[in-house]
Amino acid sequence: MEAPTKKPKLLGNIVVFLYAFVLLVLSWLNLKIVLEQYPADAFLAKVHSDNMNFIDFSKYYLCGKAAFTPDSHEFYSYPNQKKLFDDLINGGSEGNFPPAQAIEFPPYVLPLMYPISRLPFPQAFQFWTILNWLGLASGISLLCKLGADKNNKSKKVVAMVITLAALCAPPILRTFMVGQPTGILFCFFSLYIYFFIKQKDILAGVFLSLISIKPHYAVFMCIPALMQKRFKLVLAAAACETILLILAVWASNLEGVLGYVHYVIATDTTAPEAEHLVSHMVNLRGMLSIFLPAQALLLLSLSISFLALMACGWLFFRGKNERWLFALLVLACLFLGPHTHMYDCLLVAIPAALTLGHGQNEQSDQSEQNKQIENSFWKKLWVIILAAYPIIAVFSLVAIGPLKETYYAFLPYSFFNFFLLLVAFLICLRHSKS
């Protein structure tokens, strides 16, 4: 009687290990591209010849360099940023820093980046990259441990496969090539979700406030605390945010902090090439950008984001399976939020880590209806989409060729994010009725 049950399990293990091997090979190819940029001389030559490649890290680095300087109150002005870029990044000559790339990070990014900016530019970038990779790996490992038996080895296998999938997919390469902090942000998300589910409200509040380095994500992620009336968490986040704002005032004066909001609105909608940058987004706003102008689209996307917040809040109020609810919330951030680019798709590993590998080994603790949900068609489709995501993304990157920087190059990520959001919503809806 045991043979029929062991054979499918053995076949499943073989498929998983073959899949992991493919991911390992693709991850190595990604890593090889990164390591080729690592020598300081090669890196600086690449920056000066095509500094748009590392533009986002350059902007974060400039934030640290501008902090606590006499002219820091003028930081949120494009001419000042352009001068800093030319002097500190491009060796004193005029570099490629168009108005559409104007720095619009929250003012407390300046003091937060100050320690890293004390390093020379190449070494600071190397340290930045290592922080991204460590943040990604530690975040996935932490989320896979949620609700898991310490002796359950399958969770370690799941964590390894998800990490390889994240490291081989183009979003991690994009994160490196533009110098985004997506891996670091991934760690903040993971720690917030982990401490939230573990009922450690003060720590969860601290990491919720750190997520606000991308403010639109923090707005989404505060919904669970509000709907569950976790006021201790909200107060901890508010206290930490107050400390960050005090640091911001210290680093760039009150004048610089107050000019931030007006500056963001102006650069996000009226700057030259704004519509071009929106067309590169991998969310609903990016999909609709082919039909609507940037200003009208911003208002529409903010309205849709508000409706999405209400829907997620209702599900958190009704639902009990927090892992699936947070998976849905992260996907709502990505697809329905106002600002999402290809590198942000690295955050898809959060829903994967929260949901894959659970359920099968935990069904004794579930109701009969929850067991049916975990074994449903929608759960199987969820696993298939997540498994296909990195492989198809790699082949898409190779196949697009001359479409590399067009709307169509980023469209597959929008579709993946949409289908994952839809499936997660249907599963959460079924959980809310159980």
Side-chain angles (χ1 to χ4, degrees), residues 6-7 36 38 65 80 90 102 114 132 175 227 243-244 254 270 297 325-326 339 400 405 410:
K6 285 186 177 180
K7 190 173 180 181
E36 287 174 354
Y38 248 59
K65 283 293 186 183
N80 186 44
N90 216 48
Y114 180 79
N132 268 296
T175 294
M227 296 309 299
I243 293 171
L244 290 175
L254 185 60
T270 62
L297 193 54
L325 288 168
F326 271 113
H339 195 97
I400 55 177
E405 289 298 327
F410 302 95

Side-chain angles (χ1 to χ4, degrees), residues 204-272:
V206 170
F207 288 104
L208 174 59
S209 69
L210 290 174
I211 289 173
S212 68
I213 60 171
K214 300 276 180 110
H216 53 292
Y217 287 152
V219 172
F220 272 87
M221 299 311 289
C222 75
I223 290 299
L226 294 174
M227 296 309 299
Q228 295 187 9
K229 298 180 180 179
R230 303 271 285 271
F231 298 123
K232 185 178 178 181
L233 191 160
V234 175
L235 288 172
C240 190
E241 197 71 21
T242 301
I243 293 171
L244 290 175
L245 286 172
I246 291 171
L247 285 174
V249 172
W250 184 25
S252 60
N253 297 324
L254 185 60
E255 182 184 345
V257 173
L258 292 177
Y260 165 68
V261 176
H262 171 74
Y263 185 74
V264 168
I265 294 173
T267 55
D268 201 42
T269 57
T270 62

Side-chain angles (χ1 to χ4, degrees), residues 11-72:
L11 180 61
N13 288 337
I14 292 173
V15 170
V16 169
F17 280 108
L18 283 175
Y19 178 71
F21 177 73
V22 172
L23 296 180
L24 180 63
V25 173
L26 294 174
S27 298
W28 165 245
L29 293 175
N30 256 354
L31 180 62
K32 188 172 182 294
I33 294 172
V34 172
L35 291 177
E36 287 174 354
Q37 315 289 333
Y38 248 59
D41 292 341
F43 172 70
L44 284 176
K46 181 72 173 175
V47 170
H48 291 157
S49 64
D50 182 13
N51 44 43
M52 290 299 289
N53 254 348
F54 303 97
I55 186 67
D56 287 349
F57 174 72
S58 300
K59 295 194 291 188
Y60 279 100
Y61 188 78
L62 288 178
C63 285
K65 283 293 186 183
F68 307 107
T69 62
D71 298 328
S72 59

Side-chain angles (χ1 to χ4, degrees), residues 71 92-93 95 137 210 213 279 290 329 378 383 400 412:
D71 298 328
S93 59
L210 290 174
I213 60 171
S279 71
I290 196 169
L329 190 61
W378 296 111
V383 174
I400 55 177

